[in-house]
Amino acid sequence: DAGVIQSPRHEVTEMGQEVTLRCKPISGHNSLFWYRQTMMRGLELLIYFNNNVPIDDSGMPEDRFSAKMPNASFSTLKIQPSEPRDSAVYFCASSLGSGTGFQPQHFGDGTRLSIL
Amino acid sequence: GQQLNQSPQSMFIQEGEDVSMNCTSSSIFNTWLWYKQDPGEGPVLLIALYKAGELTSNGRLTAQFGITRKDSFLNISASIPSDVGIYFCAGQGGKLIFGQGTELSVKP
């Protein structure tokens, strides 16, 4: 079975550039989550979608970050303009459920982002 | 906000030894999850716990959902070199909140 698929696996770009991270959730899952992982702050939830609708974006650091889910099989996380402090590993996860009734989340292998 | 305290932060053990790690919180959770993360990969689900007091095993792994719903532990018996990695607890009451991780090193 295909798991959560993220692309690219690695991205190195200069500050000020636009960065787009992509995610394909597990087929049939109706919830999608974007996380950021750093040494200092660990795994932080940025935003999650349920049935393609953004439910909670309180973890999005600032207006430079935006996420979309145009359909059930695709989501993007965009940073514009990017800054060196955005360097981190970004994970996408998917699950079944909504509200407090989520099934366990399954994670992709992440995108390692380096902003120079 | 909700926080999880996971301990220990790191462990260095000999192959064959048993390992124990735990998570505590000031908040109540409906579900406790344990994940393992290998370098360059995403967290992989090991065990999910859904009821207070529940004790669940998965091979050499055993985890329990605390009676108060504010804590959980994970035990690994007879450790082997491939157990090396970072183990995360996660509590779910709405959002999934992660502990800081326990980095396990196993010496052959």
Side-chain angles (χ1 to χ4, degrees), chain A residues 21-64:
Chain A
L21 311 181
R22 297 172 176 81
C23 177
K24 177 178 167 55
I26 292 172
S27 177
H29 281 187
N30 66 341
S31 297
L32 183 142
F33 307 80
W34 283 101
Y35 289 87
R36 178 172 65 179
Q37 186 177 40
T38 61
M39 288 293 291
M40 291 297 294
R41 300 173 68 90
L43 268 164
E44 301 174 280
L45 178 66
L46 300 178
I47 185 172
Y48 81 88
F49 296 82
N50 184 247
N51 295 322
N52 310 339
V53 175
I55 302 300
D56 184 346
D57 65 355
S58 59
M60 295 286 260
E62 47 197 276
D63 291 346
R64 298 184 296 105

Side-chain angles (χ1 to χ4, degrees), chain B residues 73-92:
Chain B
F73 72 74
L74 174 71
N75 288 341
I76 306 173
S77 63
S79 58
I80 59 178
S82 62
D83 291 334
V84 164
I86 302 178
Y87 292 80
F88 291 96
C89 62
Q92 186 160 307

